[in-house]
Amino acid sequence: MTSAGDVIALSGTIVADGEREYGRAWVRDGRLTLGEPGSSPTADVTISGWVLPGLVDLHCHLGLGPDGAVDEATTLAQAATDLAAGTLLVRDAGSPIDSRWLQHAPAGTPSRARDSAAQPPLPAAGPRPRVDAPELIRAGHHLARPKRYLRHYATELDDVADLPAAMAEQAAFGDGWVKIVGDWIDRARGVESDLEPLWPADVVASGVAAAHGAGARVTVHTFATETIDPMLDAGVDCLEHGTGLTQAQIERAAAAGVAVVPTLLQIDRFASIAAQGEAKYPRYAARMRAMHARRYAQVRDLHDAGVRLFLGTDAGGTIGHGRIADEAAELVRAGLTAAQVVAAASWLARDYLGRPGIADGAPADVVVYPADPREDIAVLAHPSAVIRAGHLLPR
């Protein structure tokens, strides 16, 4: 790994967004300079290829395993796997742990930056980031009801009336996002069990208002059609999975600017989930199977309607980390072009989350590829170099 003071020269095709490309860039003191820097420093490392802003996973769970919370060593291993795949920014869509320790380098960690009057460091933008984990935007803890979500994953509320206060609390605890579980199977109904909303519509509306009043956006786990209209009425900002959206609801979401994270890797599991539940919960199994069968058509309908789509692997729990390229390939399989998926996975997602991409003075979080992934999405699985906060990570 290079140190913070090393100078890295980048050349080739540096893709800032859909309009801007550059032939050269420099990384110094953890930041980007586009074109030739005035001081013309000697590069310690030179890297050529197709350079993209660090990829973004909008539905990821650092610190979560199949049985709930995992320890710090396991969390760091998850983070390292995501980094190696080129995922340099994560919106953690709910975690049972307090993951704030993942965001900044521990106090007392040496910076190793070079002290040079000819090459002064750029002003710091706050505490130094960890270079062994992606930049992390936390949605706090999932909010659900007892026995209406996966065990040990969420903060469970016995009384639905507590949702607004809990959403305000998570807004203060997280980084501008709150995650609620909108629907889940109600097993108490036996053979009639199916996906059903967890919260009354008026309570959801009050909860979203409370989160918005605290400056946070709200995203919702939802599989079921019945959940969508009350969530859109309440003014939620983002839908996770969104498998139950009808065409009319898709058009509502597009008009309202509500984003959707399709999580196709997770939806691919619906057929096996249906098979496991068929004997005890036939209605639920039938619905899951139908949503699985039309998953690609659903994504095409969302895209054609103008809904903003972003990539989310749903890593943590049942899906391994580092699979952003697999999720990208699934979106291409659904009918989006490779160029559209690359944009959604990088600069468009960064803009949505309020984080910079490739720009003068921006933090140097970039991924280098041996060919253009906008032409062949399979290239996304083979980064040749990953630079996190100005550090070239070992391969």
Side-chain angles (χ1 to χ4, degrees), residues 8-12 14 23-27 32 47-48 51 366 368 387:
I8 303 172
L10 301 172
S11 64
I14 297 154
R24 293 185 68 81
W26 299 79
V27 176
L32 288 167
I47 302 171
S48 296
V51 183
V366 299
V368 185
I387 298 173

Side-chain angles (χ1 to χ4, degrees), residues 186-196 281 283:
D186 185 357
R187 294 180 177 85
R189 296 181 57 196
V191 294
E192 295 298 311
S193 295
D194 198 357
L195 293 170
E196 293 185 7
Y281 311 116
R283 289 184 59 185

Side-chain angles (χ1 to χ4, degrees), residues 16 26 67 116 134 138 158 164 199 207 241 253 271 306 323 370:
W26 299 79
D67 300 315
S116 170
R138 299 160 36 258
D158 293 318
W199 317 100
H241 318 298
R323 297 193 62 190

Side-chain angles (χ1 to χ4, degrees), residues 108-122:
T109 302
S111 69
R112 296 179 293 175
R114 291 186 295 185
D115 183 11
S116 170
Q119 298 180 20
L122 291 166

Side-chain angles (χ1 to χ4, degrees), residues 20 67 70 104 108 145 192 205 229 252 259 264 291 315 318 320 334 357:
R20 297 175 300 136
D67 300 315
V70 298
H104 303 301
R145 294 173 62 187
E192 295 298 311
D229 284 322
R252 281 194 68 190
L264 284 172
M291 292 188 297
T318 57

Side-chain angles (χ1 to χ4, degrees), residues 17-321:
D17 54 34
E19 303 291 333
R20 297 175 300 136
E21 293 183 1
Y22 302 90
R24 293 185 68 81
W26 299 79
V27 176
R28 181 165 59 86
D29 297 313
R31 305 240 169 202
L32 288 167
T33 300
L34 302 179
E36 294 288 346
S39 58
S40 298
T42 300
D44 297 288
V45 180
T46 299
I47 302 171
S48 296
W50 278 258
V51 183
L52 295 181
L55 303 183
V56 184
D57 192 337
L58 263 86
H59 191 124
C60 186
H61 303 282
L62 290 166
L64 179 67
D67 300 315
V70 298
D71 60 23
E72 288 192 6
T74 303
T75 302
L76 283 173
Q78 294 173 344
T81 302
D82 285 327
L83 284 179
T87 297
L88 304 189
L89 175 58
V90 161
R91 186 191 64 176
D92 194 299
S95 175
I97 71 168
D98 181 348
S99 56
R100 286 176 288 187
W101 61 272
L102 266 176
Q103 294 179 312
H104 303 301
T109 302
S111 69
R112 296 179 293 175
R114 291 186 295 185
D115 183 11
S116 170
Q119 298 180 20
L122 291 166
R128 287 186 300 104
R130 298 185 71 111
V131 298
D132 56 352
E135 182 180 0
L136 178 63
I137 297 174
R138 299 160 36 258
H141 303 310
H142 308 70
L143 295 174
R145 294 173 62 187
K147 298 182 180 179
R148 294 297 305 280
Y149 195 49
L150 296 163
R151 293 181 62 193
H152 310 306
Y153 276 36
T155 295
E156 298 178 349
L157 307 181
D158 293 318
D159 188 342
V160 295
D162 292 337
L163 181 66
M167 291 179 71
E169 180 181 358
Q170 291 305 313
F173 173 61
D175 300 321
W177 283 92
V178 174
K179 165 78 175 292
I180 66 172
V181 178
D183 51 65
W184 197 254
I185 185 173
D186 185 357
R187 294 180 177 85
R189 296 181 57 196
V191 294
E192 295 298 311
S193 295
D194 198 357
L195 293 170
E196 293 185 7
L198 270 67
W199 317 100
D202 60 335
V203 172
V204 170
S206 296
V208 172
H212 285 172
R217 289 187 278 181
V218 177
T219 194
V220 182
H221 160 102
T222 174
F223 295 153
T225 300
E226 300 90 324
T227 308
I228 302 298
D229 284 322
M231 294 295 170
L232 294 177
D233 290 342
V236 301
D237 304 281
C238 188
L239 300 173
E240 309 299 314
H241 318 298
T243 47
L245 282 153
T246 65
Q247 188 60 43
Q249 291 169 340
I250 288 172
E251 292 170 2
R252 281 194 68 190
V258 175
V260 175
V261 185
T263 64
L264 284 172
L265 290 175
Q266 184 63 264
I267 309 312
D268 188 51
R269 301 181 61 251
F270 278 17
S272 62
I273 292 171
Q276 292 168 9
E278 181 76 49
K280 292 180 68 175
Y281 311 116
R283 289 184 59 185
Y284 167 74
R287 191 196 300 230
M288 297 294 280
R289 191 174 292 111
M291 292 188 297
H292 176 265
R294 75 173 312 272
R295 65 195 186 281
Y296 294 144
Q298 179 86 345
V299 169
R300 287 194 299 273
D301 289 346
L302 288 161
H303 178 261
D304 290 347
V307 173
R308 287 182 293 180
L309 299 177
F310 296 111
L311 277 69
T313 63
D314 209 353
T318 57
I319 293 177
H321 285 259

